[in-house]
Amino acid sequence: MTKPAAPKRHLPTSPFKAPVTRAPEQFAIGDQVTHDVHGLGRVVGIEDGIAALVDFGSAQMRILSPYTKMTKL
């Protein structure tokens, strides 16, 4: 089975609590980060609200917002 691309919407009549949506993290140039796929890195560039350019040592990757797989250390 494949995972649906869009999250399921919450119905107001549902007896279950609505899922909490996190605000996207804000990163600054020089922040150390960890990524679930690429590992440890350092932010070297920011495109406001669009992406972050991260240097992972072996490669520089452009990580798109929302940064679900990347956290600040």
Side-chain angles (χ1 to χ4, degrees):
M1 286 186 93
T2 60
K3 187 175 181 181
K8 293 182 181 180
R9 65 186 176 107
H10 182 266
L11 298 174
T13 58
S14 174
F16 303 104
K17 293 181 181 178
V20 178
T21 55
R22 297 185 326 165
E25 281 197 57
Q26 299 295 322
F27 296 101
I29 295 175
D31 284 348
Q32 284 190 330
V33 295
T34 181
H35 191 275
D36 291 348
V37 176
H38 304 293
L40 295 173
R42 184 173 300 274
V43 177
V44 293
I46 295 290
E47 297 174 30
D48 290 332
I50 299 171
L53 183 63
V54 182
D55 182 14
F56 291 105
S58 61
Q60 285 191 357
M61 303 293 291
R62 185 173 177 253
I63 309 297
L64 298 176
S65 177
Y67 312 103
T68 55
K69 296 183 179 184
M70 190 165 73
T71 55
K72 189 185 305 185
L73 296 177

